[in-house]
Amino acid sequence: LKVGAYGLLRVMYNVFDISFLVEVGWNKIVLIIAGVTMILGSIYAIMQTDIKRRLAYSSVAQMGYILLGLALVSQQALIGNMFHIFAHATMKSCLFLSAGAIILQTGKRNISEFAGLGRRMPWTFAAFTMAALSMIGIPPFTGFLSKWYLGLGALETGQPIYVVLLLISSLLNAAYYLPIVISAFFGKVSDELKDVPECSLRMLVPIILLALCTIVFDLAPTNLPLEISTITANFLLGGR
């Protein structure tokens, strides 16, 4: 998923000089695309009832954040961009693996059929919840930190409209993630799924490790991915 973002990053910052792109205004085209992608991807995600399709359209919206960080041409935004690439890799991997475990154990893909499953598969849904909260941007999860830096970058370049779009996108994220979590833990499980067991330990280990990655770096004394993101951003901007 990140290959396109990486390719665009290299083209904008290495093939073309970023100052040239700003001078001719080409980065503004990417900014517009980023804003549309963030909102439209989230709207399409809300419309999906299949869990994997909802997660896929969510990824479309998340790529909008990465495009935004590229096109703002700000140190803070570029740090947020780099960090969000790491954050999204851990968050979305956790969500997709959790969805795969749910489908394997239940044979169900429709979100409306997940009611009460949080009590049958508590570890899987706990990990899903952590990753979902991170995607929404709830502190202290990694998703909050990347959005925070993107917002700072938008303010740094005098474009507060993108802070508003980040907030709207986060609210839309909540609209399609929280109902899954609430229904899973507080809904009534169907008779068909009353005896569904938790997935195997081999499946749980990577899911839980990825869920921990959504929070442990922000709580650690040193946030290594953020430091690497800062070094990379400074390098790409020529030490500015």
Side-chain angles (χ1 to χ4, degrees), residues 208-229:
I208 292 173
L209 286 177
L210 286 167
L212 291 175
C213 284
T214 66
I215 194 170
V216 68
F217 291 103
D218 286 2
L219 299 179
T222 300
N223 191 327
L224 184 59
L226 183 61
E227 289 192 356
I228 295 172
S229 300

Side-chain angles (χ1 to χ4, degrees), residues 47-174:
M47 296 166 60
Q48 307 307 312
T49 58
D50 182 286
I51 182 64
K52 293 184 75 173
R53 288 179 65 87
R54 180 168 292 191
L55 294 179
Y57 275 108
S58 170
S59 291
V60 173
Q62 297 296 313
M63 288 303 295
Y65 298 146
I66 294 173
L67 290 177
L68 179 65
L70 289 177
L72 282 172
V73 192
S74 151
Q75 182 194 39
Q76 302 281 15
L78 201 53
I79 291 172
N81 170 75
M82 297 295 172
F83 188 71
H84 196 71
I85 290 175
F86 160 79
H88 183 256
T90 55
M91 296 183 295
K92 191 49 66 71
S93 296
C94 181
L95 288 169
F96 266 115
L97 287 180
S98 298
I102 295 164
I103 293 169
L104 180 67
Q105 296 299 98
T106 67
K108 306 293 184 182
R109 296 170 64 107
N110 195 305
I111 293 166
S112 64
E113 297 178 299
F114 293 171
L117 278 178
R119 299 191 297 276
R120 304 302 310 160
M121 303 176 66
W123 289 101
T124 300
F125 272 95
F128 185 95
T129 302
M130 290 176 65
L133 293 176
S134 187
M135 293 286 287
I136 295 168
I138 304 295
F141 294 96
T142 54
F144 166 77
L145 194 57
S146 59
K147 291 181 182 182
W148 176 261
Y149 274 94
L150 289 171
L152 290 177
L155 294 176
E156 188 177 51
T157 56
Q159 301 185 77
I161 182 62
Y162 289 102
V163 177
V164 176
L165 289 180
L166 282 168
L167 291 172
I168 293 173
S169 178
S170 293
L171 290 173
L172 292 173
N173 286 346

Side-chain angles (χ1 to χ4, degrees), residues 14 46 187 198 202:
N14 296 127
I46 292 174
E198 179 63 271
R202 283 195 305 172

